[in-house]
């Protein structure tokens, strides 16, 4: 699997967020994937899950290696996280009213070991259980189908 870097301009979904007054917020993601075309929807999902609204794509998925982050502490740390968990994200807020650099880590992000997730997902799929991340009571039965399509009228 390759690792890709992607960047977005974002804003908080909640207007009462402490970050709502920031002039510019950039979301940067490191994601592991077999192909670059799967990176965009995964990144969009993760960013929205973290409570951000995507305004603009600043940098399309670009293949990176560890060498790209030599002497770049934050980038190297996030690249390492992506190797372990399959993805890593940071959010950078720029505000001219702040006179010095302040680094804050968002603590409400759920880290998932992607390897453990995939191994449990594969065993569940063989047994016929719902593996959707947000499954609820509507997923109470298993259907016999190769694929499911939305009804067309």
């Amino acid at each position: 699997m390759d690792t890709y870097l992607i960047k977005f301009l974002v804003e908080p979904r909640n207007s009462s967020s402490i970050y709502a007054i920031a002039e510019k917020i950039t979301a940067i993601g490191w994601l592991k994937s077999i192909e670059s075309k799967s990176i965009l929807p995964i990144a969009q999902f993760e960013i929205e899950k973290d409570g951000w609204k995507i305004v603009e794509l600043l940098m399309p998925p670009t293949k990176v290696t560890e060498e790209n982050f030599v002497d770049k502490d934050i980038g190297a740390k996030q690249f390492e996280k992506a190797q372990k968990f399959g993805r890593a994200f940071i959010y950078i807020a720029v505000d001219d009213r702040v006179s010095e650099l302040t680094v804050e880590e968002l603590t409400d992000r759920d880290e998932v070991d992607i390897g453990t997730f995939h191994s449990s997902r594969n065993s569940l799929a063989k047994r016929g259980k719902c593996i959707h991340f947000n499954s609820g009571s509507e997923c109470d039965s298993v259907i016999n189908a190769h694929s499911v399509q939305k009804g067309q009228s």
Side-chain angles (χ1 to χ4, degrees):
M1 270 203 229
D2 294 316
T3 302
Y4 295 86
L5 184 70
I6 190 167
K7 295 181 184 182
F8 295 92
L9 181 63
V10 297
E11 60 187 28
R13 241 186 300 150
N14 184 350
S15 60
S16 64
S17 167
I18 62 169
Y19 304 107
I21 59 170
E23 293 171 11
K24 178 181 175 185
I25 303 171
T26 305
I28 306 171
W30 289 255
L31 297 100
K32 282 177 67 173
S33 182
I34 295 170
E35 56 187 5
S36 65
K37 67 180 178 182
S38 65
I39 295 296
L40 187 60
I42 293 170
Q44 288 172 322
F45 169 78
E46 290 292 333
I47 289 167
E48 290 174 9
K49 185 177 92 173
D50 283 347
W52 302 96
K53 178 180 155 192
I54 295 172
V55 176
E56 178 184 348
L57 176 65
L58 297 175
M59 183 177 113
T62 305
K63 194 183 296 188
V64 293
T65 63
E66 196 169 12
E67 289 77 37
N68 294 108
F69 304 103
V70 173
D71 297 328
K72 297 177 182 172
D73 295 343
I74 294 173
K77 181 180 174 185
Q78 298 307 315
F79 184 87
E80 250 180 62
K81 274 174 112 175
Q83 298 312 296
K84 182 176 180 182
F85 298 113
R87 56 197 73 167
F89 286 86
I90 62 170
Y91 300 91
I92 299 172
V94 176
D95 194 334
D96 288 336
R97 295 169 293 186
V98 178
S99 59
E100 62 185 55
L101 176 66
T102 306
V103 177
E104 292 182 31
E105 188 163 337
L106 301 176
T107 56
D108 60 349
R109 180 161 176 75
D110 294 330
E111 296 290 350
V112 177
D113 183 336
I114 200 79
T116 304
F117 168 76
H118 282 296
S119 65
S120 65
R121 182 192 70 176
N122 292 342
S123 68
L124 286 172
K126 289 176 186 171
R127 286 187 269 148
K129 301 286 184 189
C130 180
I131 58 173
H132 188 266
F133 71 93
N134 198 16
S135 62
S137 60
E138 65 274 2
C139 295
D140 59 357
S141 64
V142 178
I143 62 170
N144 186 12
H146 177 70
S147 64
V148 178
Q149 297 177 349
K150 292 183 178 179
Q152 299 177 6
S153 23

